[in-house]
Amino acid sequence: MTHPATDAPPPPQEAVGPLMRSLSVLRALSTGGGRQAVGDLVRATGLARSTVDRVLSTLARLGYVRVEGRDAVLAPGLLELGNAYLAASELPDRLGPAAERLADALDESVSLAVPDGDGVRFVHQATRRRAMSLAFRIGDLLPAERGAPGALFAADWDEDAWRRWRERRAADPTDAGFPTVPPRRDGNSGTGGPENFGADFACRDGNGGTRSTDPGEDFASRVEAARTAGWSLDDQLIEPGLVAIAVPVRDPHGRPVCAVSVVSHTSRLAAADLPTAVLPRLRETVAEMERTLATPAPPLPDPEPSATRHASWMRASKQELGPEFVESLARGLLTLTAFGTGRAALPLTAVAEATGLARATARRALITLEHLGYLASDGRLFRPTPKVLDLGFAALSGLTLPEIAQPHLATLVEQVHDSASMAVLSGTDIQYVARVPTVRIMSVNITVGTRFPAYPTSMGRVLLAGLPPAERTAHLSRTKLTSLTQHTVTSPERLATLLEQVDEDGYALVDEELEEGLRSIAVPVRARDSRVVAAVNISTHAGRRSPAEDRDAFLPPLRAAAARIEADLRTAGRFLRVPPA
């Protein structure tokens, strides 16, 4: 959710009204956590139900939203908008590896954050997995005063920026516009300078006692201290127990482009200990990052530019959906995807060429997006801003592989009328992580979490075939091959030959080897780096058709479903870690 705007200028004459209204629906859905009843979206935006329905139909056509019953749900495809900004910024790609190394060296979570108005937005997270660990997501927005990076960025604010900060705090005294952070406990706010806000924010000090302070009260003094020291401390400004220290990363011109924060907990380090325990290594990493920024980036294009949906695609969509397709929304979002690696700033002509839009159409879309804050311009070049991450990125950043797969498995089951599943390799077993059963008198009763030996199952053979040859051989040497039915292959040599064939064919069909009467066919699911990370299958009763008939009937829709899962996984995995379960 974006914090309340103050003194919002009126839209320029060239702004596209339907695009502005449509984006309000997408923002409302993102603010609601990624799933909202359509009726709630109508109330949140103040738009007519017919308008909201048209917007959702268009977003569904783009692959950005699914409509499930009465609910609208953000879909993984929407992440391509945030990916465009992150790729254009180059910060996760160029500085992320150093952040990961720092997190490993310190065994603490490390964040990269950028300024966004009077807020701070995260663009990379290298987290440690603990019972108490960092819970912020890429795309989350914090008030500048509620964290270490904000004081670093505010050191460059002019009086207008300070005025907007004061107005925002007066308009939102509990930080309700920043749902990522706990609210300030009451709405009392003072007047005057940036340090004079008296809302009661309670937290515990490093000795276990309770102190009461509003992070805004001493913000100006913390900004001045950060300007002098070159680093900033967060002593439980966000929530009790959470401490951090941050240092700015500057470009070759000396301008801060981001801040690196090391985040810990008072159970591990008190705030007063961070400068001694963390700051030397943190400064070394920042120096490394600044050397990286001083080195020209390799002239590599974005490996998967998103702006491939051109005008002919939109015309086809308009013809198919008719008035239910909001063409101006599709054009506007398509414009955002013109940016990416090697395309951080583009003139109007380049945007029009990348999208296939007419110059006049692209110009109006760019002007509208600039007015809404999603683009910035120097009068000739346009560049995406961190606000693009407001469009659902944080809400989708916790997606798991099963969550990505589930709707595609449901579509597959509707097509084939048999059960479909996804599994991952777990030791010498497969473990089911997603499943959509079909309704039949005689059906296969398997639940998520079920484990089977890998060797006599179709998904297991696909997963084993996807291993490097040495790993595959080692895996088979650890596996006890036992006959589960009269058809089970137990010969190591025969199984090795079958796995080579599965690797070549790209699918596995297993007929009654796990259980009498059970036949299944599986295909791999590959990540962005082409590794096989999961398998999906269709299981059926062996008595209905011959193996060849099942292969011909099931393999095409199964491969199509796997391809859709892979497409979503490629988008989600560009800057996010997608856990297998």
Side-chain angles (χ1 to χ4, degrees):
M1 178 176 180
T2 304
H3 52 270
T6 56
D7 290 342
Q13 185 175 0
E14 300 94 329
V16 183
L19 174 57
M20 297 174 64
R21 291 189 291 273
S22 297
L23 284 172
S24 73
V25 176
L26 187 52
R27 287 195 303 270
L29 182 53
S30 301
T31 300
R35 177 183 285 269
Q36 285 254 49
V38 177
D40 290 342
L41 293 175
V42 171
R43 287 185 285 274
T45 59
L47 298 174
R49 174 62 184 255
S50 59
T51 299
V52 173
D53 286 340
R54 291 178 63 229
V55 170
L56 294 176
S57 294
T58 305
L59 292 171
R61 175 69 174 181
L62 294 169
Y64 293 166
V65 163
R66 297 191 309 273
V67 178
E68 299 179 352
R70 298 181 178 180
D71 290 349
V73 185
L74 295 181
L78 181 64
L79 289 167
E80 73 177 4
L81 301 182
N83 286 350
Y85 159 73
L86 293 171
S89 78
E90 298 187 349
L91 295 176
D93 285 333
R94 302 198 71 190
L95 306 187
E100 299 286 345
R101 291 192 293 273
L102 179 63
D104 290 339
L106 298 175
D107 194 26
E108 299 286 1
S109 294
V110 174
S111 303
L112 298 182
V114 297
D116 187 0
D118 64 353
V120 171
R121 201 178 292 274
F122 293 109
V123 296
H124 184 78
Q125 296 284 12
T127 57
R128 305 296 92 182
R129 295 194 176 276
R130 297 195 181 100
M132 290 185 295
S133 62
L134 188 69
F136 294 120
R137 305 162 299 184
I138 296 176
D140 275 336
L141 182 69
L142 273 64
E145 67 273 17
R146 304 260 317 248
L152 299 171
F153 299 139
D156 291 327
W157 286 0
D158 58 19
E159 184 50 40
D160 282 343
W162 280 106
R163 175 184 56 80
R164 289 190 294 271
W165 179 80
R166 291 192 294 268
E167 290 174 350
R168 184 265 294 169
R169 282 180 54 81
D172 184 16
T174 62
D175 289 341
F178 299 86
T180 300
V181 297
R184 289 183 276 157
R185 281 200 336 190
D186 67 39
N188 298 324
S189 61
T191 58
E195 69 279 7
N196 295 322
F197 286 82
D200 184 19
F201 177 82
C203 63
R204 297 199 175 274
D205 61 29
N207 298 316
T210 301
R211 58 186 173 88
S212 179
T213 180
D214 169 20
E217 287 182 344
D218 64 345
F219 187 46
S221 61
R222 286 192 285 116
V223 170
E224 187 57 37
R227 181 186 289 113
T228 301
W231 53 271
S232 177
L233 195 65
D234 170 0
D235 187 1
Q236 306 174 82
L237 296 170
I238 298 173
E239 67 177 16
L242 193 65
V243 293
I245 188 168
V247 174
V249 178
R250 300 183 182 276
D251 67 14
H253 304 287
R255 296 172 298 208
V257 295
C258 69
V260 186
S261 296
V262 177
V263 186
S264 190
H265 193 272
T266 52
S267 61
R268 291 173 56 83
L269 287 171
D273 298 328
L274 286 174
T276 300
V278 170
L279 192 55
R281 188 61 182 264
L282 174 56
R283 280 177 163 157
E284 290 177 7
T285 296
V286 167
E288 176 190 349
M289 291 178 171
E290 290 179 343
R291 289 193 296 272
T292 298
L293 292 179
T295 304
L300 297 175
D302 193 335
E304 292 180 356
S306 298
T308 55
R309 298 187 179 109
H310 44 70
S312 62
W313 178 88
M314 282 189 288
R315 283 195 296 271
S317 298
K318 184 69 174 178
Q319 291 170 358
E320 180 180 337
L321 297 180
E324 296 304 304
F325 186 75
V326 184
E327 197 166 13
S328 60
L329 171 59
R331 288 168 171 168
L333 297 181
L334 178 65
T335 300
L336 286 176
T337 65
F339 300 89
T341 303
R343 303 190 304 278
L346 297 174
L348 167 61
T349 300
V351 173
E353 290 176 353
T355 59
L357 298 174
R359 277 177 55 91
T361 301
R363 179 175 179 274
R364 293 191 66 200
L366 291 169
I367 289 172
T368 305
L369 293 169
E370 182 182 9
H371 168 71
L372 295 174
Y374 299 111
L375 294 176
S377 169
D378 62 4
R380 188 182 75 87
L381 297 177
F382 294 86
R383 64 177 65 243
T385 70
K387 189 179 179 181
V388 173
L389 297 175
D390 244 0
L391 300 177
F393 202 94
L396 290 167
S397 64
L399 279 174
T400 64
L401 181 54
E403 289 171 332
I404 290 174
Q406 195 74 16
H408 299 297
L409 294 181
T411 299
L412 177 62
V413 169
E414 290 177 1
Q415 291 176 307
V416 301
H417 308 293
D418 268 299
S419 300
S421 307
M422 170 180 277
V424 297
L425 202 58
S426 179
T428 58
D429 295 339
I430 60 167
Q431 183 170 9
Y432 282 69
V433 295
R435 180 164 171 80
V436 177
T438 190
V439 178
R440 287 184 182 274
I441 295 175
M442 183 181 296
S443 59
V444 181
N445 186 21
I446 298 170
T447 59
V448 170
T450 297
R451 298 171 70 102
F452 289 125
Y455 69 92
T457 65
S458 63
M459 288 192 288
R461 288 186 184 168
V462 163
L463 291 165
L464 293 175
L467 295 174
E471 286 186 37
R472 188 191 308 167
T473 300
H475 188 284
L476 291 179
S477 69
R478 298 192 303 268
T479 303
K480 183 179 180 181
L481 304 180
T482 304
S483 292
L484 303 178
T485 74
Q486 60 178 330
H487 305 286
T488 306
V489 174
T490 58
S491 163
E493 295 77 13
R494 172 63 177 153
L495 189 57
T497 300
L498 286 173
L499 294 180
E500 290 177 3
Q501 189 65 47
V502 169
D503 188 30
E504 181 179 335
D505 294 341
Y507 75 93
L509 190 151
V510 172
D511 194 16
E512 301 188 84
E513 294 190 44
L514 177 67
E515 182 179 324
E516 297 285 353
L518 178 63
R519 179 182 299 144
S520 65
I521 184 170
V523 297
V525 173
R526 297 182 183 273
R528 290 180 60 89
D529 59 4
S530 297
R531 288 180 303 111
V532 175
V533 294
V536 291
N537 85 339
I538 296 170
S539 53
T540 188
H541 193 273
R544 296 194 189 117
R545 288 180 291 244
S546 70
E549 289 172 330
D550 277 338
R551 181 196 60 211
D552 293 343
F554 291 151
L555 191 54
L558 184 58
R559 281 177 163 159
R564 292 192 297 270
I565 294 170
E566 289 175 342
D568 281 349
L569 183 57
R570 283 194 298 272
T571 300
R574 176 68 173 91
F575 293 105
L576 299 172
R577 294 184 178 91
V578 181

